[in-house]
Amino acid sequence: MAILNFGSLNIDHVYSFTRFVRPGETISCTDYQRFAGGKGLNQSVALAAADATVFHAGKVGPDGEQLLAVLKEHGVDSRFVAVDTIPSGHAIIQVDAEGENSIFLYPGANHAIHHDEVSSVLKHFDKDDIVLLQNEVNATDYIIREAAAKGMTIVFNPAPMTPEVLSYPLECIDCFILNETEAQGMSGGIHSDNILEDLHARFPHATIVLTLGKRGVVIAEGSEVIEVPAFPVQAVDTTAAGDTFVGYFLAEKSHGRSTTSALQIGCAASALCVGKTGAVPSIPQRADVEAFLRLHGTMLPCE
Ligand code: RIB
């Protein structure tokens, strides 16, 4: 079983501040670093770190060589990443003293994907494969439709959440992985006291994985609801914590491991991720995640 991740690739410009800049204000940052990022690329790197077979599809510009190099270096197959004349996507990220972030994006080549390019990638995959999607490339609705027509398993992380998501063929999704803000966005602005229950009622055939930040994660799968607490850690930078969870959780599930163990490994991997700055450099290796779990007295799936 292969995982095709059709997603964004960004150059992340990360600025550290004691607090976020306010409207109309000019302040100096305390540090600046540049990393490979993009929710798509981060999730591919996390999948590969967790030992999954992952193909990344998407688009970069002439400045995207470093992004391709990062994919290769981390064991992600990048043959389906096209190169365009439009600059690569980039992200401007502020990180405050609590490790929280605030991001704006220039989509660049991530928004220059044509339908015929999607079709020519998908013809290499079949119903036994998984397609993973976020919401940082254009043509996401088309990819969902085409992948569903092939009978592929579709995993959707609607991040960042936009109103357009509501017009996607969401009934084709097999698994949603989303945080509380994204889940609220999925309800079209209607407040709910139990977002998980509402989403599960709306998409009864889909698995719903709701990440709760410091509180952990809860999943509704068939008639089962499983909750796993987060590991208490001091956050330095939360960038890519969600992406790391998605990659590790999905890799474990694709290896046939139990849902509880996939959730625990995903939570452990994100706990390690928030302890380091940057997107890709903060995504841990599987051996480190296993050592962390042992340290916290959590049984590994093979033990
Ligand atoms: O999820 C973190 C990512 O969001 C960053 O790497 C940035 O590129 C944005 O896509």
Side-chain angles (χ1 to χ4, degrees), residues 48-296:
D51 292 338
T53 303
V54 53
F55 294 83
H56 192 97
K59 198 172 257 192
V60 293
D63 54 348
E65 269 171 33
Q66 48 181 316
L67 299 173
L68 291 170
V70 165
L71 286 179
K72 286 183 190 143
E73 188 190 315
H74 287 83
V76 178
D77 192 314
S78 61
R79 78 183 75 173
F80 300 118
V81 180
V83 182
D84 208 307
T85 49
I86 299 164
S88 297
H90 72 247
I92 302 294
I93 306 181
Q94 295 180 58
V95 178
D96 73 7
E98 271 73 54
E100 290 299 330
N101 64 46
S102 159
I103 304 178
F104 72 82
L105 297 172
Y106 162 73
N110 293 313
H111 276 196
I113 297 168
H114 304 293
H115 288 186
D116 58 330
E117 293 171 328
V118 171
S119 303
S120 67
V121 170
L122 286 179
K123 73 178 184 223
H124 297 274
F125 296 87
D126 64 29
K127 63 176 180 41
D128 295 327
D129 299 321
I130 296 172
V131 63
L132 169 64
L133 300 165
Q134 309 77 32
N135 193 32
E136 279 188 351
V137 297
N138 68 308
T140 301
D141 52 346
Y142 182 76
I143 303 171
I144 295 173
R145 272 194 196 91
E146 292 292 292
K150 291 176 76 76
M152 293 176 77
T153 298
I154 307 173
V155 179
F156 183 37
N157 169 224
M161 184 66 202
T162 58
E164 292 74 50
V165 168
L166 301 176
S167 65
Y168 296 171
L170 299 175
E171 66 285 358
C172 301
I173 306 296
D174 298 288
C175 176
F176 292 91
I177 307 179
L178 67 188
N179 65 24
E180 292 170 286
T181 310
E182 290 147 6
Q184 285 292 356
M186 289 275 291
S187 64
I190 301 161
H191 176 76
S192 164
D193 288 330
N194 194 335
I195 325 171
L196 182 73
E197 207 173 81
D198 287 359
L199 282 175
H200 196 40
R202 207 164 125 208
F203 304 104
H205 304 296
T207 296
I208 316 282
V209 186
L210 183 66
T211 59
L212 306 168
K214 287 176 188 158
R215 287 176 290 130
V217 59
V218 57
I219 187 171
E221 190 175 40
S223 57
E224 262 198 318
V225 173
I226 304 171
E227 202 161 347
V228 166
F231 293 91
V233 283
Q234 186 63 43
V236 172
D237 178 1
T238 54
T239 309
D243 300 331
T244 301
F245 174 86
V246 171
Y248 267 84
F249 170 78
L250 186 55
E252 292 302 300
K253 285 296 275 179
S254 73
H255 288 142
R257 309 254 158 73
S258 77
T259 298
T260 303
S261 132
L263 294 172
Q264 282 170 337
I265 289 187
C267 286
S270 5
L272 284 172
C273 170
V274 303
K276 282 189 179 170
T277 306
V280 167
S282 67
I283 299 170
Q285 289 304 305
R286 199 175 199 288
D288 297 327
V289 176
E290 289 183 0
F292 179 89
L293 281 169
R294 279 198 196 92
L295 193 71
H296 285 80

